[in-house]
């Protein structure tokens, strides 16, 4: 049997192939682009945030045993730092003492309220000129973000083990 034929029949090759096929299916599903399924133009008559779609994130994360929200954020999130006016959402950072923080800012999510499996997400964003230490951001995080990260790490770990021959599944012909 040729080396190529042996490799194609090896358990390690079949495991890698199966993993890649599953990964390809997952990536294809998430890259599929379609129509806009949901939008918020921030044009509510009452000039308020539509709480049926949005959650205010409040505090500095310490109430959740996650001070600094896991990445050493220095601000304390407040609802009065979030505003809606004339079709625009405003998130305002201020130098103001709140809790254990010297700064306040606004943060909102659609977690558990708006979830898009297929489609397109668009945003019209104006980010101000920033000084050192400020990091304005727009994130689109998946519903099962932690699961995806764990699966990708597991996938990478298995591939490293297979390539290195650590699992003993490689052909030594």
């Amino acid at each position: 049997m040729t080396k190529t034929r042996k490799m194609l029949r090896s358990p390690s090759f079949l495991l890698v192939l199966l993993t890649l096929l599953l990964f390809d299916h997952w990536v294809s599903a998430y890259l599929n682009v379609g129509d806009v399924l949901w939008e918020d133009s921030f044009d509510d008559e009452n000039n308020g945030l539509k709480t049926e779609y949005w959650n205010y994130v409040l505090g500095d994360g310490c109430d959740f045993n996650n001070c600094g929200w896991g990445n050493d954020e220095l601000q304390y999130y407040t609802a009065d730092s979030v505003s809606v006016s004339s079709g625009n959402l405003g998130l305002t950072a201020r130098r103001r003492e709140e809790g254990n923080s010297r700064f306040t800012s606004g943060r909102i999510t659609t977690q558990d309220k708006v979830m898009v499996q297929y489609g397109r997400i668009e945003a019209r964003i104006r980010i101000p000129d920033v000084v050192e230490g400020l990091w304005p951001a727009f994130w689109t995080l998946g519903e099962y973000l932690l699961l995806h990260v764990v699966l990708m790490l597991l996938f990478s770990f298995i591939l490293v083990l297979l390539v290195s021959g650590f699992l003993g599944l490689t052909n030594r012909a």
Side-chain angles (χ1 to χ4, degrees), residues 150-164:
V150 169
L151 288 175
M152 291 305 298
L153 289 173
L154 182 63
F155 170 76
S156 300
F157 182 69
I158 289 172
L159 281 179
V160 166
L161 291 176
L162 288 172
V163 169
S164 69

Side-chain angles (χ1 to χ4, degrees), residues 76-150:
Y76 191 98
Y77 292 117
T78 62
D80 68 342
S81 295
V82 178
S83 62
V84 174
S85 177
S86 304
N88 294 302
L89 167 69
L91 303 175
T92 306
R94 295 182 181 95
R95 186 179 302 269
R96 180 175 73 182
E97 299 273 336
E98 188 82 37
N100 295 323
S101 303
R102 295 184 308 158
F103 306 95
T104 61
S105 183
R107 180 176 175 181
I108 57 173
T109 71
T110 59
Q111 186 174 6
D112 299 326
K113 293 186 176 181
V114 177
M115 290 157 270
V116 177
Q117 183 171 2
Y118 303 111
R120 183 175 65 231
I121 297 172
E122 296 179 349
R124 178 178 44 94
I125 302 171
R126 186 176 76 194
I127 297 176
D129 292 334
V130 296
V131 296
E132 188 174 330
L134 297 179
W135 186 12
F138 173 80
W139 294 75
T140 54
L141 303 175
E143 181 180 5
Y144 302 110
L145 177 66
L146 182 61
L147 175 64
H148 293 159
V149 170
V150 169

